[in-house]
Amino acid sequence: MNTVELPSGERVAAMGVGTWNMGDSAAARAEEIATIRLGLDLGATLIDTAEMYGDGASERLIGAAIEGRRDEVFLVSKVYPHNATRRGTAAACERSLQRLKTDRLDLYLLHWRGSVPLEETVEAFIELRDAGKIRHFGVSNLDRADMQALWSVPGGGGAQTDQVLYNLGRRGVECDLLPWLREHRVPVMAYSPIEQGRLLRNPKLVDFARRHAMTPAQAALAWVLRDGDVIAIPKSSQRSRLKENFAALDIELTPAQLAELDRLFPPPPGPVPLEML
Ligand code: NDP
């Protein structure tokens, strides 16, 4: 498994497992658990969830899926902005830990920036880290100005990632946020890397993938992973698709292929507001 280095020096799997909308259906449960476990077998040891997903259903599913295998997993969860006060963060973390049936999170993210001052959330994260409830903290959906604000609060520069929307059709972060993060050696965690499946029906991508003997999902994921400092967290509830997606790790797009994708999916000419899903 390719890895990406966090600012802490720890290396995590370059391709992880997204779990939004998982755990919602009893009929899908067995296959979803099998998919998460297959991910672990393939080295996809980073699992992303949030207290928001299915009101805890995703965390509960993961708790069941990783039972007996906790030490293999780099577990990421997120706190709602409205819970991200000093006491609220600790309480939300405790609830997540219970649902996940574990004593620690590897990475705890602020899901997006709300009205609680960043300073207070960072203080809460640091207290949780000191107490051993989380190993690292980070953020999600913060734009460049938000990151600068985060860096200006005490301890804020300890954030390990910014999880943002990034895929072939959403390249706005390349104009301002990504260069800032690279300068500060903070890896991006790319969510919705196949645009919730919609990108796979894009005729330009379908045609590219066919001509280059890969699937559209593999082309889109290999592109996200092309520079070695971006983590991708595609979600699938099906083992066959997870396998297909993970085969993207074996694809190194050539300079000609990358140039072609740049022509087909150009980045915006200048900075655009950070997009969210
Ligand atoms: P993705 O871009 O990962 O796409 C997931 C969708 O694509 C699902 O419907 C899945 O269906 C389908 N799919 C996956 N692989 C294939 C394939 N090979 N062929 C065809 N269809 C496929 O979208 P997500 O929005 O789920 O993003 C990934 C993860 O990022 C989330 O699950 C979540 O963990 C995180 N996230 C974080 C956000 C944030 O604000 N921080 C916001 C959004 C997502 P099926 O499951 O049936 O295979």
Side-chain angles (χ1 to χ4, degrees):
M1 167 61 70
N2 311 12
T3 56
V4 170
E5 189 174 350
L6 299 178
S8 69
E10 186 164 346
R11 301 196 75 91
V12 296
M15 202 187 294
V17 170
T19 65
W20 193 12
N21 298 316
M22 284 171 81
D24 294 344
S25 144
R29 181 179 171 84
E31 179 64 15
E32 288 179 343
I33 288 180
T35 303
I36 293 171
R37 290 193 179 146
L38 174 65
L40 293 182
D41 295 339
L42 295 177
T45 49
L46 186 152
I47 302 178
D48 179 75
T49 184
E51 62 170 330
M52 183 186 106
Y53 300 164
D55 271 334
S58 161
E59 289 181 327
R60 275 190 289 272
L61 180 87
I62 293 166
I66 66 173
E67 208 164 347
R69 303 185 69 172
R70 173 66 186 92
D71 291 347
E72 294 171 52
V73 181
F74 188 90
L75 198 48
V76 185
S77 193
K78 314 184 196 78
V79 59
Y80 265 127
H82 62 259
N83 282 339
T85 57
R86 198 147 173 196
R87 292 172 62 162
T89 305
C93 181
E94 205 53 54
R95 291 192 295 271
S96 287
L97 292 175
Q98 276 174 21
R99 288 189 289 260
L100 287 157
K101 294 201 201 138
T102 184
D103 59 350
R104 73 215 181 266
L105 295 174
D106 295 289
L107 181 59
Y108 200 28
L109 308 179
L110 172 63
H111 207 148
W112 62 91
R113 191 175 179 182
S115 56
V116 177
L118 289 172
E119 194 162 5
E120 186 174 339
T121 305
V122 170
E123 269 179 39
F125 281 155
I126 290 172
E127 277 176 19
L128 283 170
R129 200 176 57 190
D130 290 347
K133 302 274 185 185
I134 67 172
R135 295 181 51 242
H136 305 288
F137 69 88
V139 291
S140 177
N141 296 302
L142 262 59
D143 65 15
R144 183 186 171 121
D146 293 326
M147 288 307 292
Q148 285 167 331
L150 178 66
W151 248 239
S152 74
V153 310
Q160 300 292 305
T161 192
D162 188 11
Q163 184 181 112
V164 294
L165 176 60
Y166 184 43
N167 63 47
L168 270 169
R170 309 269 197 171
R171 299 186 59 178
V173 297
E174 289 175 27
C175 301
D176 57 355
L177 180 63
L178 199 50
W180 189 94
L181 291 169
R182 285 197 164 130
E183 200 181 302
H184 293 80
R185 298 187 175 280
V186 177
V188 159
M189 198 180 287
Y191 75 68
S192 307
I194 54 174
E195 188 71 18
Q196 300 185 324
R198 292 182 291 274
L199 197 49
L200 311 185
R201 296 188 289 275
N202 182 305
K204 290 186 285 187
L205 184 63
V206 171
D207 179 57
F208 173 91
R210 188 184 44 76
R211 283 187 289 103
H212 296 285
M214 53 187 91
T215 70
Q218 288 163 351
L221 291 167
W223 179 85
V224 168
L225 297 168
R226 67 198 180 284
D227 288 322
D229 63 350
V230 173
I231 301 157
I233 49 168
K235 174 260 175 185
S236 178
S237 300
Q238 302 173 40
R239 279 172 288 179
S240 57
R241 285 179 171 177
L242 181 128
K243 263 194 192 157
E244 174 192 337
N245 295 347
F246 276 76
L249 287 162
D250 298 327
I251 298 172
E252 195 171 335
L253 295 169
T254 64
Q257 289 171 331
L258 289 171
E260 188 180 347
L261 286 170
D262 274 338
R263 281 194 301 278
L264 297 171
F265 299 93
V272 290
L274 182 65
E275 297 174 291
M276 282 175 69
L277 284 182

